[in-house]
Amino acid sequence: MNTRSLFNRLSRVFRVVLLAGVVTLFAGSMIETSMAQDAPVGEAAAAPKGESKSMMDTLKQGGWVMWPIGAASVLTIYLFIDVMLRTSNNRMSPPEEVEKAQQLFMAGDYVNAYQVMKSTVAPFNNCVKYGLSFVGKGKEQTEEALLVEVGRENARMQNKINYLSVIGVCTPMIGLVGTVVGMMDAFGSLGQSGAGDTAALSNAIGHVLVATASGLIVAIPAFTFFYILRNRLLAKMHVLEDTVLSLFRNMPYEHFHGLEIGEEVTYAALPNWVNEGQPAA
């Protein structure tokens, strides 16, 4: 088992363990919430006033909006770890793949270089493979194709990072929904029992504060991770671009004129009217 397959397997195990932990946590929270709702009102009121609340009690006080906020927090952590690993040098430009490409280029074995680059999925390999398929069209088109492929790899990774921005925008809005619901409950309790029922009023206000704070607590790290990963990706893409272009810097394009390296299917042909005036064979 090579290092890459081991890493992918560990990554899948981490995702399963993380998902199982989240499901267990929220299932326990749901069970406790259901038990608390089924308990008589007198039992809830008889709780000691000086007893401090646990973290789980505080989260349950936030109401149903804690579910999407909790899911967003887990997704934030997952995206941050996943993109950090994907933008490492070993994943962007694996040293062993760079060395293979350099040796094959120096030996002039470009056909074999294409096949070797095709066998491994990595941004560096994708760029080199795509560039080799354009060497028969000249230097300008080859370098343009390399830059296009680098931009494509950047867009693939940026799409993952953009989800952090979405989380940073949406979680405060979800918390605001909890705030509105809590305020409705607070005014409802005031209308039913007046200002004398401080327990119901404080519970509704706690709902408001927990939901709002939870949305902000998730949004702030999400935006922070977004800018950290965006800047990291930009730096890594510059390194990838320099590494790929250095391979093609002294490419003898004059010897590749009209040749096709690669297995990409081309659908362009001569216009059908060109052969209309020629006699049939």
Side-chain angles (χ1 to χ4, degrees):
M1 182 184 298
N2 56 24
T3 305
R4 184 173 299 277
S5 60
L6 178 61
F7 173 82
N8 292 334
R9 183 167 298 180
L10 290 176
S11 179
R12 287 194 295 268
V13 171
F14 170 77
R15 296 172 188 174
V16 172
V17 172
L18 184 61
L19 180 60
V22 172
V23 172
T24 303
L25 176 64
F26 282 104
S29 175
M30 194 65 180
I31 293 173
E32 292 183 9
T33 304
S34 177
M35 294 176 63
Q37 292 175 350
D38 294 339
V41 178
E43 293 182 8
K49 294 183 179 181
E51 184 179 355
S52 60
K53 292 183 178 180
S54 64
M55 178 63 70
M56 187 61 66
D57 293 333
T58 303
L59 294 177
K60 287 191 296 183
Q61 193 175 12
W64 63 269
V65 297
M66 300 304 295
W67 285 86
I69 291 176
S73 66
V74 175
L75 183 60
T76 298
I77 297 173
Y78 167 74
L79 288 172
F80 178 72
I81 296 175
D82 183 60
V83 176
M84 284 290 290
L85 294 176
R86 288 179 183 273
T87 54
S88 64
N89 291 330
N90 290 333
R91 297 291 296 274
M92 296 290 293
S93 301
E96 64 275 8
E97 298 297 324
V98 175
E99 184 178 357
K100 289 178 184 178
Q102 290 173 347
Q103 292 177 353
L104 291 170
F105 271 54
M106 287 188 294
D109 193 355
Y110 299 104
V111 175
N112 192 25
Y114 180 91
Q115 297 298 330
V116 171
M117 294 296 102
K118 182 182 177 181
S119 62
T120 303
V121 178
F124 172 80
N125 295 53
N126 294 338
C127 293
V128 174
K129 181 184 68 174
Y130 193 69
L132 285 173
S133 64
F134 278 83
V135 292
K137 303 182 184 301
K139 179 179 180 180
E140 292 185 1
Q141 291 195 36
T142 301
E143 292 182 350
E144 182 179 352
L146 290 173
L147 295 177
V148 167
E149 184 63 23
V150 170
R152 189 180 292 126
E153 294 294 333
N154 180 72
R156 290 193 188 107
M157 202 65 63
Q158 189 64 47
N159 287 338
K160 288 180 171 289
I161 299 175
N162 288 339
Y163 286 117
L164 291 171
S165 178
V166 174
I167 293 173
V169 172
C170 291
T171 48
M173 299 297 102
I174 297 173
L176 183 60
V177 173
T179 301
V180 174
V181 173
M183 292 301 296
M184 292 172 62
D185 292 339
F187 285 110
S189 64
L190 284 175
Q192 291 179 359
S193 56
D197 190 359
T198 58
L201 182 61
S202 63
N203 184 53
I205 294 175
H207 186 163
V208 172
L209 298 178
V210 171
T212 305
S214 299
L216 293 175
I217 288 173
V218 176
I220 293 172
F223 273 124
T224 303
F225 292 159
F226 170 77
Y227 288 107
I228 290 174
L229 294 177
R230 190 186 65 173
N231 294 337
R232 175 183 172 88
L233 177 63
L234 182 62
K236 296 298 182 180
M237 282 299 163
H238 285 312
V239 175
L240 175 64
E241 182 179 336
D242 292 340
T243 305
V244 172
L245 290 177
S246 66
L247 281 174
F248 292 81
R249 182 171 295 119
N250 297 320
M251 181 71 69
Y253 291 100
E254 63 275 8
H255 297 285
F256 290 98
H257 183 69
L259 297 179
E260 292 287 342
I261 297 178
E263 301 173 354
E264 285 78 8
V265 180
T266 56
Y267 299 95
L270 289 175
N272 53 12
W273 62 78
V274 173
N275 297 323
E276 289 180 356
Q278 298 179 0

